[in-house]
Amino acid sequence: MLKLPALDPSTVEERRGSGYPEPYKSRMGDRVKRRLGQACGLTKLGVNLVTLGPGGQSALRHWHTLEDEFVYVLEGEVVLVTNAGEQTLSAGMCAGYPAGRPDGHHFINRSSHPTKYLEIGQRPEGDIAFYPDDDLMLIPTENGEISAHKDGKRY
Amino acid sequence: MLKLPALDPSTVEERRGSGYPEPYKSRMGDRVKRRLGQACGLTKLGVNLVTLGPGGQSALRHWHTLEDEFVYVLEGEVVLVTNAGEQTLSAGMCAGYPAGRPDGHHFINRSSHPTKYLEIGQRPEGDIAFYPDDDLMLIPTENGEISAHKDGKRY
């Protein structure tokens, strides 16, 4: 049994579901995240181990204003979608998304097997995400972000 | 052939050696790093893929004042050394080191096979590392950090 600062990811709580409103939430499919960074007491670095079932998505296609993101594929195969189109990433491949580059990205599992990957980011204050393909924007409020249509109407 | 933002780590330049003065530099052994985050254009997040030969070390045992660090073992087996002693981490295990926690840590490969892991950190300005086991300190200067003995004498 490992003790902190070491950790066996299988001992970390599984989190399902997403904070998106419908119909986006359901689109994520069978997606399970384990918050490894948080389980180690990290506050400046987010590290999630994600298991994505067939048909699932990592997120809506999006980009961040202030957060660098990095993903590393551990098992299976996943399709990366960006402005330039689609590429298939197998285990051992990775991708990095510099903060502020307006190239929306996400993973879709188009295979018939689960895929497993690490998703990593710093956690900068004031970061905003944009969703080029979907009628969703996040509005910062004193009580946290709220979801709205792009015309401002709340979900 | 993957195109950015996706990347095949095997296409990234191998970097050997370390910035430590001797006798510490040699102690790292057969250690090869590929700077994946940099290769993806990231500036706020450092991600290295490291291959560590038998007898090699990830670093001197150290801790950071401002940088959260995270490591994920991909292949083989490695020994984590901290204030509490030693633990063996196999593939799929991880560890996280919160910024400012004065618990020096490093990996030693005591096995007879190479090990492979990801090392991840943000890259905060003004971060300092301390080395509890070794006669080494880093002094920030206008021209970058310099190495000194703990009595201030330069290497």
Side-chain angles (χ1 to χ4, degrees):
Chain A
M1 187 67 181
L2 296 177
K3 285 183 191 163
L4 287 177
L7 183 72
D8 177 348
S10 72
T11 65
V12 177
E13 183 200 0
E14 295 189 347
R15 300 179 70 100
R16 290 168 191 272
S18 106
Y20 297 135
E22 292 293 1
Y24 306 117
K25 190 186 184 92
S26 300
R27 218 191 272 170
M28 300 305 107
D30 182 19
R31 193 185 69 184
V32 177
K33 298 193 183 198
R34 287 184 171 92
R35 297 184 177 177
L36 305 186
Q38 191 183 64
C40 292
L42 304 187
T43 56
K44 299 160 191 283
L45 201 59
V47 182
N48 295 330
L49 176 63
V50 188
T51 306
L52 193 61
Q57 299 191 7
S58 62
L60 296 177
R61 201 163 79 85
H62 71 285
W63 61 274
H64 287 276
T65 54
L66 298 180
E67 183 179 40
D68 273 2
E69 285 187 293
F70 185 86
V71 285
Y72 187 94
V73 181
L74 296 167
E75 288 178 26
E77 194 176 280
V78 86
V79 174
L80 169 65
V81 187
T82 63
N83 287 353
E86 300 196 351
Q87 301 185 73
T88 299
L89 276 64
S90 53
M93 301 297 111
C94 64
Y97 315 114
R101 187 171 296 175
D103 184 7
H105 54 83
H106 69 163
F107 278 169
I108 302 179
N109 182 354
R110 296 202 202 282
S111 81
S112 53
H113 299 283
T115 182
K116 221 163 139 180
Y117 58 88
L118 291 172
E119 61 182 15
I120 299 151
Q122 354 104 256
R123 305 173 67 178
E125 283 192 36
D127 179 57
I128 300 174
F130 291 108
Y131 303 91
D133 300 337
D134 298 298
D135 183 22
L136 176 65
M137 68 175 183
L138 297 179
I139 301 176
T141 74
E142 288 174 310
N143 301 313
E145 286 181 334
I146 57 171
S147 302
H149 295 268
K150 281 179 174 162
D151 66 5
K153 199 174 69 183
R154 307 302 192 255
Y155 270 93
Chain B
M1 187 66 180
L2 294 177
K3 285 183 191 162
L4 286 176
L7 183 72
D8 178 347
S10 71
T11 64
V12 177
E13 184 199 0
E14 294 189 350
R15 301 178 70 99
R16 290 168 191 274
S18 107
Y20 297 134
E22 291 293 1
Y24 306 117
K25 189 188 185 92
S26 301
R27 218 190 272 170
M28 300 304 109
D30 182 20
R31 193 185 68 184
V32 177
K33 297 193 184 199
R34 289 185 169 91
R35 298 184 175 176
L36 305 187
Q38 190 182 65
C40 292
L42 303 188
T43 56
K44 299 161 193 280
L45 202 59
V47 182
N48 294 330
L49 176 63
V50 187
T51 306
L52 193 61
Q57 299 190 7
S58 62
L60 297 176
R61 201 163 78 85
H62 71 285
W63 61 275
H64 287 276
T65 54
L66 299 180
E67 184 179 38
D68 273 0
E69 286 187 292
F70 186 87
V71 286
Y72 186 95
V73 181
L74 297 168
E75 288 178 27
E77 194 176 280
V78 86
V79 174
L80 169 65
V81 187
T82 63
N83 287 353
E86 301 197 349
Q87 302 184 74
T88 299
L89 277 63
S90 53
M93 302 296 112
C94 64
Y97 316 114
R101 186 170 297 176
D103 184 7
H105 54 84
H106 68 163
F107 278 169
I108 302 179
N109 182 353
R110 295 203 203 282
S111 80
S112 53
H113 299 283
T115 183
K116 221 163 138 178
Y117 59 88
L118 291 172
E119 62 181 16
I120 299 152
Q122 353 106 254
R123 306 173 67 180
E125 283 192 37
D127 178 58
I128 299 174
F130 291 108
Y131 304 91
D133 300 337
D134 299 297
D135 183 21
L136 176 65
M137 67 175 184
L138 297 179
I139 301 176
T141 75
E142 289 174 310
N143 302 312
E145 285 181 336
I146 59 171
S147 302
H149 296 268
K150 281 178 173 162
D151 66 4
K153 200 174 68 181
R154 306 304 192 254
Y155 272 94

